[in-house]
Amino acid sequence: MHHVVLERWSRGASPIHRRDPRAKLAALLVFLVVLATAHRSLPALALALFVLLSAALLWARLPLMGALTRACIVLPFTLVFAAAAWLSGDAARGLALLLKSYLSALAVLLVVSTTALPVLLRGLEMTGAPRFLLMVAQFLYRYLFVISEEGQHMRKAAVSRGASVGGMVGNGARFRAAAGALAVLFARSYGRAGDIHRAMLARGFLGHFQPLFVLRFQTRDAAFAVLASLAPVLLRAAVERAL
Amino acid sequence: MPSSVTPLSNVTPPSNATRPSNVTPPLIDVRDLRFQYEDGTAALQGITFRLEAGETVALLGANGSGKTTFVLHLNGLLSGKGRVEVCGLAVEPRNLAAIRRKIGLVFQDSESQLFMPTVLEDVAFGPLNHGLSPHDAIHRATAALERVGMSAAADKAPYHLSAGEKKRVAIAGILAMDPEILILDEPTTFLDPIGQRALAELLANLPQAKILVTHDIPFARAICTRAVFFQNGTIAAAGSVEELVTRFGWDFALEPAKSKP
């Protein structure tokens, strides 16, 4: 089975991967605040922050182009609002929206690509995030795999019986078949999700996941948190002073 | 599992030796159990069944005869009409936590049983839920993975494993819980012949009472002390595996395949 790329990336062994999730979350929070509150010299600051994130991606030994491309996932949503701002005569606001949303997505991607999900959730839990919300996130993550796996099974079965996925546009029968397959996919995934829940209950699941590991916040985690938080602050100060 | 294994035919069913336990027999006592699915299918129509300590019982029968539905009642995943007791505890909501400590259930589809990000975390899931410390849970999980020959996969994501490896990890997840009773639903599915023999040896040497839902007749004969035959939601007969497969015309499954001229 193929698996989500981020899950594979998060199992790396770089210095950033080894840092405590709370240190990374603190740095991420500072980065997002610095970015969100920036108004002056935004294109130059955005370029500087982009270089900073790219350097961090390389330090984390993640594929740079792959990460930069994946962060574009937010653009279809923000493009709509950016276009509306541009059409209303405020092109600068539209550009700011695009830059901020892309860089925010890239920063979040950097954190989730360098922290295994259970560790990240554990870190969030220890910082006081609601446990119920975290459990929903964990189930969502697992069930994404379920849908992905069921979809791949169905695709193999369809292709092995001569189906082709291309040419749906203008072909009503093929479109209806695809729509039906999608409905079956969700029905099958729902059934599988029920099986998984039963298997969890059978092994004593009582409503929350027990942690297998204990997080220890070390001196180097604190140093990382301070330096990684200072970097965007100093960059912003330098850019605003220079321009 | 280790590759140096004896032929399946040389695996001997366990004796009735029991492991130390303060639980008095029978371990499972089911009386007149009836269950109907929401679509109206009467899956169980008056099942009466007992499992004594040290026994290994095969549940035989055609697809859809009610075997899996029956075992899902034993730890309260399904609830029908009738009396079900496990180790003296009635299977009802207030006892479910205790009962699920006593029964380890390996599901037919091991894909459904593996949901944690790594193999080690998945195998440790049950022990953690049962109150073990992380250190002890890791120790249990590591030992269970060793028993099924999957130690090398401890840090892998379960999605990366082959079907046979997933089955072995699913079994390890149950062994790590150290239950009083093991229930295995089609345990040999996806296992290659070497894996099947190794599993038979492993099960034969485990002290727990076991229930095996299986269509694998040689496997059942190798490790089961007795069998019951399900038919249309009822237990149609009980006896040895040989007696039942002969009586119901399944004895061809015991014969070696003959090549055509």
Side-chain angles (χ1 to χ4, degrees), chain A residues 93-170:
Chain A
R93 177 172 293 207
L95 179 64
L97 193 59
L98 281 178
L99 291 174
K100 288 184 178 182
S101 60
Y102 178 75
L103 289 172
S104 301
L106 192 58
V108 171
L109 185 74
L110 175 62
V111 171
V112 298
S113 301
T114 55
T115 319
L117 187 81
V119 180
L120 186 63
L121 294 178
R122 181 78 180 130
L124 285 166
E125 186 179 1
M126 293 178 78
T127 53
R131 183 173 272 185
F132 179 74
L133 195 66
L134 300 178
M135 193 185 302
V136 169
Q138 179 137 355
F139 276 118
L140 183 67
Y141 180 74
R142 176 62 182 101
Y143 291 145
L144 282 177
F145 279 102
V146 171
I147 293 176
S148 165
E149 288 165 7
E150 290 293 342
Q152 288 176 56
H153 285 311
M154 287 177 62
R155 183 181 176 281
K156 281 178 190 165
V159 169
S160 66
R161 283 189 286 164
S164 97
V165 293
M168 274 196 295
V169 176

